Amino acid sequence: MGEAIVITSGKGGVGKTTSSANIGTALAMLGKKVCLLDTDIGLRNLDVVMGLENRIIYDLVDVVEGTCRIAQALVKDKRFEELYFLPAAQTKDKDAVQPEDVKKIVDSLKPDFEYIIIDCPAGIEGGFRNAVAGADKAIVVSTPEMSSVRDADRVIGLLEASDIKNPKLIINRVRPNMMKSGDMMDIDEVCSILAIDLLGVVPDDQQVIKSGNIGEPTVMNPTSNAAVAYRNIARRILGDSVPLMALERKKGVFYKLKKIMGIG
Amino acid sequence: MTATKEHVTIKGNKDGLIFLFNDHCEFPVLLSELQYKLEKTHQQILSGPTINVHIKLGNRDLNVEQEEKIKKLVSNHGNLLIQSMESNQKDIKEENHDLKIIKGIIRSGQSVHYETPVLFMGDVNPGGLISSTGDIYVMGSLRGLAHAGKTNTGNKEAIIAASYMKPTQLRIANIVSRSPDESADEGAYMEFAFLEDDHMQIGKISELHKVRPDALQF
Ligand SMILES: Nc1ncnc2c1ncn2[C@@H]1O[C@H](COP(=O)(O)OP(=O)(O)O)[C@@H](O)[C@H]1O
Ligand SMILES: [Mg+2]
């Protein structure tokens, strides 16, 4: 029986779709059977990031309305045998889908896949409730900016009030030199506010934008820093204990001690 | 309207008028007598320059609705301006002094209110709200909004203490204090906020026993 993981954030543009595509692809690279599910009705773009837009025949709303069966709507990835994608509708009314519908669809995917990665729309309204309805676990994405952290916090509160316990955190678009100079919140600060487990830290990387444009997830690119981060995240999801990369590491106790004693 | 026994006494002093309310009669009786006096027997005070009014409730405690009714009635009469509304009894009578100990985390968009002083073991995040009729002690980081002494008339003796103090806003009774706009500054450890002459002050926890000798004694 597969596990459904929703990728959410509250705020838009912080990297939910990027994370969904890369984590899904990284899990497939590690030999897992994965289905990506886009629930961002009306603003779908997981298909574009995955480079699968031209293969879409049916979508989520078609499945909900009974126009087609799930199997007919699933788009097979062009790179990995065991990676599939269920697109959101682009043109239809977003009220066409209710949380029970999404839950039913996710439940019916579970026997056939090891991981179902659900890309959540921004906001905390209907679209969020749809995305969360079928999920067993959640990953919250935030950038190291106060507005993003605050929205992530809001979402964590909502998740904790639902059946989804212990959401995990990805901090995206980190710029180590800006953190060092104090122009960006540092990892410690974000973690201490959100107070949930850190699953990984993804650097700000131009390759991500390039990859998005050519429809090939960054994680496939061996020269990208973000790719390494996403591969590590996928391995942590599988239960490996991969140490945090240098930029992810929190300042040690010793560092703090030195700071207090004024010799840091 | 018979006024055999006075329920509303109006006195003048150099600052304006003092309305003394009897605290034994029913509220509607009080209200209608106030209206009667304002409209029939004391019309002369209703013209001329603005007059400050201090209302003394004695041992009566008003709920929000009743308070509103009085405010409305008085402000309907042109030049009267309510400066204060005080009750002797209120804090003693209504407030529960048992300290409540709560643990958790108050996240953005969440709010909790306690009708007792509260010791909160955990963080109050930006966008989160904790309020109490009495004191608030946060054993954790206070980054959101805390409102202590939140009663109808406002408990100005209440304090807000936190292990790490970096709030977006502090309120005690009806006094609001916000964090400085240049938010770059670090928060502070082991501090508490209190009111002194209606101004929000911040002190080190070690000073608490001097500023509020009665705080935390139950
Ligand atoms: N680590 C990163 N480095 C650089 N650009 C990024 C990174 N993560 C996301 N982006 C860019 O940010 C934009 C928004 O990302 P997206 O995943 O669509 O956000 P969301 O789905 O949360 O709205 C995209 O243009 C994407 O290419
Ligand atoms: Mg998106």
Side-chain angles (χ1 to χ4, degrees):
Chain A
M1 215 41 180
E3 188 171 83
I5 305 174
V6 63
I7 305 210
T8 178
S9 70
K11 194 168 154 70
V14 298
K16 291 177 294 294
T17 300
T18 304
S19 296
S20 301
N22 282 296
I23 291 171
T25 305
L27 286 168
M29 286 168 79
L30 291 165
K32 298 292 161 188
K33 220 172 164 201
V34 179
C35 182
L36 295 169
L37 172 57
D38 189 352
T39 60
D40 200 348
I41 295 168
L43 286 173
R44 76 170 184 213
N45 41 37
L46 187 52
D47 52 332
V48 180
V49 176
M50 293 296 293
L52 297 173
E53 189 180 13
N54 55 0
R55 299 173 191 224
I56 295 173
I57 314 260
Y58 296 109
D59 57 46
L60 187 64
V61 175
D62 292 321
V63 178
V64 169
E65 289 177 344
T67 313
C68 69
R69 288 174 291 112
I70 294 188
Q72 291 174 290
L74 287 178
V75 179
K76 194 167 161 311
D77 184 64
K78 52 189 178 192
R79 293 151 291 238
F80 294 95
E81 277 299 310
E82 306 270 52
L83 179 59
Y84 285 81
F85 171 57
L86 180 55
Q90 182 65 314
T91 51
K92 288 155 197 148
D93 180 11
K94 63 179 188 321
D95 298 327
V97 177
Q98 297 299 316
E100 313 82 75
D101 303 324
V102 178
K103 185 167 169 31
K104 229 197 266 164
I105 289 172
V106 171
D107 286 345
S108 68
L109 289 169
K110 277 185 184 174
D112 296 325
F113 293 94
E114 286 164 283
Y115 289 96
I116 297 136
I117 305 293
I118 305 167
D119 184 15
C120 179
I124 52 172
E125 312 286 310
F128 170 77
R129 285 196 291 273
N130 282 345
V132 164
D136 305 304
K137 292 189 174 168
I139 293 173
V140 176
V141 183
S142 176
T143 59
E145 292 164 281
M146 202 56 220
S147 58
S148 171
V149 170
R150 182 133 6 156
D151 288 358
D153 194 43
R154 180 93 172 90
V155 158
I156 293 166
L158 294 174
L159 290 170
E160 284 173 345
S162 75
D163 292 335
I164 303 178
K165 302 297 174 220
N166 299 322
K168 301 272 192 285
L169 176 66
I170 291 179
I171 306 180
N172 188 25
R173 307 204 73 163
V174 165
R175 299 195 198 177
N177 45 0
M178 276 184 80
M179 279 184 177
K180 235 182 250 160
S181 65
D183 293 328
M184 193 178 243
M185 291 175 80
D186 68 22
I187 309 284
D188 270 349
E189 208 175 338
V190 177
C191 288
S192 89
I193 291 180
L194 296 179
I196 58 174
D197 294 341
L198 182 63
L199 185 61
V201 173
V202 181
D204 193 74
D205 183 349
Q206 295 188 351
Q207 298 286 349
V208 173
I209 299 169
K210 247 197 230 164
S211 305
N213 292 336
I214 57 169
E216 178 163 289
T218 323
V219 74
M220 312 272 304
N221 180 342
T223 64
S224 150
N225 283 331
V228 178
Y230 277 120
R231 271 182 251 140
N232 286 344
I233 286 170
R235 288 177 54 195
R236 292 187 194 112
I237 290 174
L238 297 183
D240 292 4
S241 62
V242 187
L244 292 170
M245 296 196 298
L247 83 133
E248 300 177 293
R249 230 170 281 141
K250 296 187 182 189
K251 291 173 200 145
V253 177
F254 190 60
Y255 171 90
K256 279 185 185 150
L257 208 65
K258 281 202 292 194
K259 206 169 168 190
I260 290 166
M261 297 190 302
I263 55 174
Chain B
M1 180 84 212
T2 51
T4 43
K5 187 176 183 302
E6 293 242 316
H7 299 305
V8 176
T9 314
I10 299 181
K11 286 182 178 173
N13 69 3
K14 59 180 184 323
D15 187 36
L17 294 174
I18 298 174
F19 289 14
L20 295 171
F21 289 178
N22 175 292
D23 51 21
H24 290 302
C25 65
E26 295 286 314
F27 180 75
V29 176
L30 187 75
L31 199 66
S32 63
E33 187 174 324
L34 177 64
Q35 179 162 19
Y36 180 82
K37 289 220 155 136
L38 288 175
E39 287 169 3
K40 300 282 157 45
T41 62
H42 286 69
Q43 312 98 306
Q44 77 279 8
I45 63 173
L46 299 178
S47 51
T50 305
I51 303 171
N52 290 334
V53 174
H54 296 272
I55 295 176
K56 301 234 184 274
L57 298 167
N59 287 341
R60 182 192 297 273
D61 189 23
L62 299 180
N63 63 32
V64 182
E65 200 181 322
Q66 292 171 331
E67 206 178 298
E68 279 307 310
K69 279 185 180 155
I70 290 186
K71 280 184 187 161
K72 208 160 149 197
L73 187 57
V74 173
S75 57
N76 273 347
H77 294 86
N79 54 347
L80 298 183
L81 187 68
I82 299 183
Q83 287 292 342
S84 71
M85 213 188 274
E86 278 171 29
S87 154
N88 309 330
Q89 263 316 76
K90 108 124 278 301
D91 291 338
I92 302 123
K93 204 173 60 191
E94 193 188 65
E95 207 180 309
N96 184 343
H97 281 266
D98 295 336
L99 182 73
K100 199 171 209 139
I101 302 178
I102 310 287
K103 58 186 189 299
I105 174 163
I106 302 175
R107 296 187 181 277
S108 177
Q110 299 178 336
S111 71
V112 288
H113 175 76
Y114 300 100
E115 292 286 327
T116 63
V118 57
L119 170 59
F120 186 78
M121 316 274 285
D123 293 348
V124 181
N125 280 356
L129 163 66
I130 183 169
S131 61
S132 158
T133 50
D135 296 342
I136 297 173
Y137 304 89
V138 177
M139 213 159 142
S141 302
L142 174 54
R143 296 190 180 91
L145 194 165
H147 188 171
K150 190 183 181 188
T151 60
N152 291 340
T153 46
N155 171 6
K156 292 186 176 175
E157 289 298 301
I159 63 137
I160 299 167
S163 316
Y164 178 70
M165 186 78 102
K166 202 190 177 194
T168 42
Q169 203 184 82
L170 293 175
R171 296 181 193 167
I172 298 177
N174 58 346
I175 306 290
V176 177
S177 162
R178 59 179 172 72
S179 65
D181 284 329
E182 53 296 348
S183 68
D185 64 327
E186 295 266 304
Y189 293 90
M190 295 297 178
E191 288 193 333
F192 74 104
F194 61 101
L195 293 183
E196 193 174 66
D197 302 330
D198 282 1
H199 288 288
M200 191 89 65
Q201 306 286 353
I202 298 277
K204 283 274 155 210
I205 291 276
S206 49
E207 303 290 308
L208 176 58
H209 72 285
K210 292 183 202 155
V211 178
R212 288 282 185 277
D214 295 333
L216 269 179
Q217 283 170 11
F218 309 105

